[in-house]
Amino acid sequence: MAESSQTDGRTLSERVFARLQDDIVLGVLKPGTKLGETELAARYGVSRGPLREAIRRLESRKLLERVPHVGTRVAQLKGEDLIEIYRVREALEGMAARLAAEHMTAEEVTGLHRLLSQHEQQQDLQEDTAYFQREGDLDFHYRIIHGSHNQTLIDLLIGELYHLVRMYRYQFSTVANRPQRALAEHRRIVEAIESGDGEMAELLMRRHISRARENIESQGRVGGAGGGPKGAEALSAAPDNHRETQ
Protein backbone atom coordinates (compact mmCIF):
# COMPACT_ATOMS: atom_id res chain seq x y z
CA MET A 1 0.00 0.00 0.00
CA ALA A 2 1.32 3.44 -0.90
CA GLU A 3 2.16 5.70 1.99
CA SER A 4 -0.56 8.23 2.72
CA SER A 5 0.35 11.83 1.93
CA GLN A 6 -1.57 12.96 5.03
CA THR A 7 -0.25 10.65 7.77
CA ASP A 8 0.45 13.59 10.13
CA GLY A 9 -2.63 15.62 9.21
CA ARG A 10 -0.81 17.63 6.54
CA THR A 11 -0.52 17.05 2.83
CA LEU A 12 2.81 16.06 1.33
CA SER A 13 3.06 19.55 -0.19
CA GLU A 14 2.52 21.15 3.23
CA ARG A 15 5.19 18.98 4.81
CA VAL A 16 7.82 19.74 2.17
CA PHE A 17 6.85 23.43 2.34
CA ALA A 18 7.48 23.46 6.10
CA ARG A 19 10.83 21.66 5.78
CA LEU A 20 12.02 23.83 2.91
CA GLN A 21 10.96 27.02 4.69
CA ASP A 22 12.81 25.97 7.86
CA ASP A 23 15.95 25.18 5.87
CA ILE A 24 15.82 28.63 4.27
CA VAL A 25 15.21 30.49 7.54
CA LEU A 26 17.86 28.49 9.41
CA GLY A 27 20.44 29.20 6.73
CA VAL A 28 20.89 25.59 5.65
CA LEU A 29 19.99 26.92 2.19
CA LYS A 30 21.75 30.27 2.15
CA PRO A 31 20.52 33.50 0.51
CA GLY A 32 21.37 33.52 -3.18
CA THR A 33 21.64 29.73 -3.46
CA LYS A 34 20.30 28.36 -6.75
CA LEU A 35 17.79 25.54 -6.29
CA GLY A 36 17.18 22.77 -8.80
CA GLU A 37 13.97 20.75 -8.72
CA THR A 38 15.77 17.44 -9.22
CA GLU A 39 18.11 18.04 -6.28
CA LEU A 40 15.30 19.31 -4.03
CA ALA A 41 13.02 16.37 -4.88
CA ALA A 42 15.80 13.98 -3.91
CA ARG A 43 16.68 15.95 -0.77
CA TYR A 44 13.14 15.92 0.58
CA GLY A 45 12.02 12.59 -0.87
CA VAL A 46 9.06 13.92 -2.84
CA SER A 47 7.88 14.07 -6.43
CA ARG A 48 7.96 17.29 -8.42
CA GLY A 49 4.22 18.01 -8.05
CA PRO A 50 4.20 18.65 -4.27
CA LEU A 51 7.61 20.31 -4.54
CA ARG A 52 6.42 22.81 -7.15
CA GLU A 53 3.43 23.72 -4.99
CA ALA A 54 5.76 24.31 -2.03
CA ILE A 55 8.05 26.45 -4.21
CA ARG A 56 5.10 28.57 -5.38
CA ARG A 57 4.08 29.22 -1.77
CA LEU A 58 7.63 30.18 -0.81
CA GLU A 59 7.82 32.55 -3.77
CA SER A 60 4.64 34.24 -2.53
CA ARG A 61 6.37 34.71 0.84
CA LYS A 62 9.38 36.29 -0.90
CA LEU A 63 11.70 33.55 0.39
CA LEU A 64 12.35 32.22 -3.11
CA GLU A 65 12.63 34.16 -6.34
CA ARG A 66 12.74 33.29 -10.02
CA VAL A 67 15.58 34.94 -11.91
CA PRO A 68 15.63 35.02 -15.75
CA HIS A 69 18.29 32.70 -17.20
CA VAL A 70 19.17 31.53 -13.68
CA GLY A 71 16.11 29.75 -12.29
CA THR A 72 14.84 29.59 -8.72
CA ARG A 73 17.08 30.74 -5.90
CA VAL A 74 16.82 31.66 -2.24
CA ALA A 75 15.92 35.35 -1.97
CA GLN A 76 18.68 37.75 -1.02
CA LEU A 77 18.49 41.38 0.05
CA LYS A 78 21.23 43.89 -0.53
CA GLY A 79 22.80 45.07 2.72
CA GLU A 80 21.57 48.63 2.31
CA ASP A 81 18.01 47.41 1.60
CA LEU A 82 17.97 45.33 4.79
CA ILE A 83 19.24 48.25 6.85
CA GLU A 84 16.49 50.47 5.40
CA ILE A 85 13.89 47.86 6.38
CA TYR A 86 15.28 47.73 9.93
CA ARG A 87 15.05 51.52 10.24
CA VAL A 88 11.38 51.35 9.21
CA ARG A 89 10.82 48.46 11.63
CA GLU A 90 12.38 50.50 14.43
CA ALA A 91 9.85 53.29 13.96
CA LEU A 92 6.76 51.21 13.24
CA GLU A 93 7.33 48.41 15.76
CA GLY A 94 8.10 51.06 18.36
CA MET A 95 4.67 52.51 17.63
CA ALA A 96 3.15 49.03 17.78
CA ALA A 97 4.66 48.47 21.24
CA ARG A 98 3.24 51.79 22.46
CA LEU A 99 -0.21 50.88 21.19
CA ALA A 100 0.10 47.37 22.64
CA ALA A 101 0.66 48.93 26.07
CA GLU A 102 -2.60 50.82 25.59
CA HIS A 103 -4.73 48.08 24.06
CA MET A 104 -3.48 44.56 24.90
CA THR A 105 -5.78 42.62 27.19
CA ALA A 106 -4.56 40.91 30.37
CA GLU A 107 -4.97 37.59 28.57
CA GLU A 108 -2.81 38.75 25.68
CA VAL A 109 -0.07 39.93 28.06
CA THR A 110 -0.18 36.61 29.91
CA GLY A 111 0.26 34.95 26.53
CA LEU A 112 3.43 36.99 25.95
CA HIS A 113 4.87 35.81 29.28
CA ARG A 114 4.07 32.20 28.38
CA LEU A 115 5.62 32.61 24.94
CA LEU A 116 8.91 33.93 26.33
CA SER A 117 8.98 31.09 28.87
CA GLN A 118 8.69 28.66 25.94
CA HIS A 119 11.49 30.45 24.10
CA GLU A 120 13.66 30.22 27.20
CA GLN A 121 13.54 26.42 27.01
CA GLN A 122 15.26 26.30 23.62
CA GLN A 123 18.62 24.62 23.83
CA ASP A 124 20.26 27.03 21.39
CA LEU A 125 19.04 30.02 23.38
CA GLN A 126 20.21 28.49 26.66
CA GLU A 127 23.61 27.98 25.07
CA ASP A 128 23.46 31.59 23.79
CA THR A 129 24.13 30.53 20.21
CA ALA A 130 20.83 31.33 18.42
CA TYR A 131 17.27 32.54 18.98
CA PHE A 132 14.79 31.02 16.53
CA GLN A 133 11.10 31.89 16.74
CA ARG A 134 8.56 30.11 14.62
CA GLU A 135 6.25 32.25 12.55
CA GLY A 136 2.92 33.71 13.56
CA ASP A 137 1.74 33.48 17.17
CA LEU A 138 5.04 31.82 18.18
CA ASP A 139 6.93 34.96 17.12
CA PHE A 140 7.26 37.64 19.83
CA HIS A 141 7.28 40.52 17.35
CA TYR A 142 4.22 39.15 15.54
CA ARG A 143 2.32 39.08 18.85
CA ILE A 144 3.28 42.66 19.70
CA ILE A 145 2.25 43.92 16.28
CA HIS A 146 -1.15 42.22 16.54
CA GLY A 147 -1.41 43.47 20.12
CA SER A 148 -1.39 47.03 18.78
CA HIS A 149 -4.94 46.38 17.53
CA ASN A 150 -4.13 48.75 14.66
CA GLN A 151 -4.92 47.13 11.33
CA THR A 152 -2.84 49.58 9.30
CA LEU A 153 0.28 48.74 11.31
CA ILE A 154 -0.50 45.03 11.07
CA ASP A 155 -0.83 45.24 7.29
CA LEU A 156 2.45 47.16 6.99
CA LEU A 157 4.52 44.93 9.27
CA ILE A 158 2.99 41.50 8.63
CA GLY A 159 2.99 41.92 4.90
CA GLU A 160 5.01 40.47 2.08
CA LEU A 161 8.43 41.10 3.67
CA TYR A 162 7.62 39.49 7.05
CA HIS A 163 9.00 36.05 6.21
CA LEU A 164 12.11 37.37 4.48
CA VAL A 165 12.93 39.68 7.40
CA ARG A 166 12.29 36.79 9.79
CA MET A 167 14.96 34.79 7.95
CA TYR A 168 17.54 37.52 8.43
CA ARG A 169 16.47 38.08 12.05
CA TYR A 170 17.40 34.51 12.84
CA GLN A 171 20.61 34.34 10.83
CA PHE A 172 21.96 37.52 12.38
CA SER A 173 20.94 36.43 15.89
CA THR A 174 23.71 33.82 15.90
CA VAL A 175 26.38 36.38 16.84
CA ALA A 176 28.01 35.67 20.21
CA ASN A 177 25.98 36.71 23.28
CA ARG A 178 23.13 38.26 21.27
CA PRO A 179 20.41 35.60 21.88
CA GLN A 180 20.30 35.93 25.68
CA ARG A 181 20.41 39.73 25.45
CA ALA A 182 17.55 39.69 22.95
CA LEU A 183 15.42 37.55 25.28
CA ALA A 184 16.12 39.93 28.19
CA GLU A 185 15.11 42.87 25.99
CA HIS A 186 11.88 41.05 25.09
CA ARG A 187 11.08 40.59 28.79
CA ARG A 188 11.60 44.29 29.55
CA ILE A 189 9.29 45.23 26.67
CA VAL A 190 6.58 42.96 28.08
CA GLU A 191 7.01 44.48 31.54
CA ALA A 192 6.46 47.96 30.09
CA ILE A 193 3.40 46.79 28.15
CA GLU A 194 1.98 45.07 31.25
CA SER A 195 2.38 48.26 33.30
CA GLY A 196 0.63 50.26 30.58
CA ASP A 197 3.69 52.44 30.00
CA GLY A 198 3.42 53.06 26.29
CA GLU A 199 6.30 55.55 26.18
CA MET A 200 8.71 53.08 27.79
CA ALA A 201 7.44 50.17 25.64
CA GLU A 202 8.12 52.20 22.49
CA LEU A 203 11.57 53.26 23.68
CA LEU A 204 12.57 49.69 24.57
CA MET A 205 11.30 48.27 21.28
CA ARG A 206 13.13 50.91 19.27
CA ARG A 207 16.35 50.22 21.18
CA HIS A 208 15.89 46.47 20.68
CA ILE A 209 15.55 46.75 16.90
CA SER A 210 18.28 49.39 16.73
CA ARG A 211 20.69 46.98 18.43
CA ALA A 212 19.75 44.26 15.97
CA ARG A 213 20.40 46.68 13.10
CA GLU A 214 23.76 47.67 14.58
CA ASN A 215 24.59 43.97 14.84
CA ILE A 216 23.93 43.59 11.10
CA GLU A 217 25.99 46.68 10.29
CA SER A 218 28.89 45.48 12.45
CA GLN A 219 29.04 42.23 10.49
CA GLY A 220 29.42 44.32 7.36
CA ARG A 221 27.41 42.17 5.00
CA VAL A 222 24.20 40.27 4.37
CA GLY A 223 24.70 36.51 4.14
CA GLY A 224 24.90 35.18 0.61
CA ALA A 225 25.52 31.89 -1.14
CA GLY A 226 29.21 32.07 -0.47
CA GLY A 227 29.14 33.54 3.02
CA GLY A 228 26.67 34.56 5.65
CA PRO A 229 26.44 35.41 9.30
CA LYS A 230 28.76 33.55 11.63
CA GLY A 231 27.33 30.22 12.66
CA ALA A 232 25.10 29.75 9.62
CA GLU A 233 27.36 27.10 8.11
CA ALA A 234 27.03 24.91 11.19
CA LEU A 235 23.27 24.67 10.66
CA SER A 236 23.74 22.61 7.51
CA ALA A 237 24.23 19.61 9.76
CA ALA A 238 21.27 20.38 11.99
CA PRO A 239 18.79 17.49 12.39
CA ASP A 240 15.24 17.88 11.11
CA ASN A 241 13.87 17.95 14.68
CA HIS A 242 15.94 21.06 15.53
CA ARG A 243 13.10 23.56 15.44
CA GLU A 244 11.57 26.09 17.58
CA THR A 245 14.19 35.40 15.24
CA GLN A 246 14.70 38.57 17.37
Side-chain angles (χ1 to χ4, degrees):
M1 178 182 297
E3 180 183 357
S4 170
S5 65
Q6 302 189 44
T7 54
D8 67 351
R10 297 182 298 172
T11 67
L12 191 56
S13 176
E14 289 170 337
R15 293 205 303 271
V16 71
F17 164 80
R19 289 186 61 194
L20 185 51
Q21 177 173 256
D22 276 354
D23 282 350
I24 291 170
V25 172
L26 286 168
V28 176
L29 299 171
K30 296 178 178 60
T33 300
K34 182 180 176 180
L35 303 179
E37 286 188 4
T38 302
E39 293 79 5
L40 288 177
R43 179 188 184 101
Y44 298 109
V46 297
S47 63
R48 294 195 179 193
L51 177 63
R52 285 171 178 165
E53 174 61 26
I55 288 173
R56 282 194 292 271
R57 291 180 63 188
L58 290 167
E59 287 175 343
S60 72
R61 291 191 168 194
K62 308 300 182 184
L63 289 173
L64 294 179
E65 57 188 9
R66 290 188 186 273
V67 181
H69 312 299
V70 174
T72 301
R73 70 180 185 186
V74 178
Q76 180 176 17
L77 287 174
K78 294 180 181 177
E80 56 268 29
D81 293 338
L82 185 60
I83 295 303
E84 284 184 4
I85 289 171
Y86 265 70
R87 291 189 185 280
V88 172
R89 283 187 63 211
E90 184 179 333
L92 295 185
E93 289 197 40
M95 185 187 302
R98 175 188 284 271
L99 292 173
E102 298 173 4
H103 299 298
M104 280 189 101
T105 65
E107 183 179 0
E108 287 175 313
V109 173
T110 298
L112 283 175
H113 283 297
R114 282 199 299 263
L115 178 66
L116 294 183
S117 293
Q118 292 171 13
H119 289 177
E120 195 172 28
Q121 302 307 309
Q122 297 176 29
Q123 183 178 347
D124 285 350
L125 200 153
Q126 291 177 358
E127 295 173 351
D128 210 16
T129 57
Y131 188 172
F132 177 44
Q133 302 172 62
R134 280 200 174 278
E135 64 187 286
D137 282 344
L138 296 176
D139 178 353
F140 175 77
H141 289 266
Y142 183 97
R143 288 270 192 110
I144 297 293
I145 293 163
H146 275 272
S148 73
H149 295 253
N150 183 298
Q151 192 58 50
T152 300
L153 268 181
I154 294 169
D155 291 343
L156 287 169
L157 290 167
I158 310 294
E160 64 179 22
L161 287 177
Y162 167 73
H163 298 280
L164 185 59
V165 170
R166 177 173 161 262
M167 174 183 78
Y168 281 109
R169 277 170 44 201
Y170 172 75
Q171 293 183 20
F172 280 98
S173 80
T174 58
V175 69
N177 303 318
R178 179 59 192 160
Q180 284 285 349
R181 288 202 303 268
L183 178 64
E185 290 166 11
H186 285 175
R187 290 197 181 283
R188 287 193 289 272
I189 291 167
V190 174
E191 289 168 2
I193 289 173
E194 188 170 32
S195 67
D197 190 340
E199 184 176 354
M200 180 58 67
E202 179 173 11
L203 175 64
L204 292 172
M205 180 62 84
R206 288 182 68 109
R207 283 180 179 172
H208 173 62
I209 296 176
S210 176
R211 286 170 180 151
R213 172 178 52 78
E214 290 167 359
N215 171 39
I216 294 172
E217 291 174 327
S218 71
Q219 294 192 46
R221 65 190 185 282
V222 174
K230 294 178 181 178
E233 289 80 2
L235 290 167
S236 61
D240 285 342
N241 61 358
H242 175 76
R243 299 288 183 266
E244 198 1 42
T245 51
Q246 358 161 1

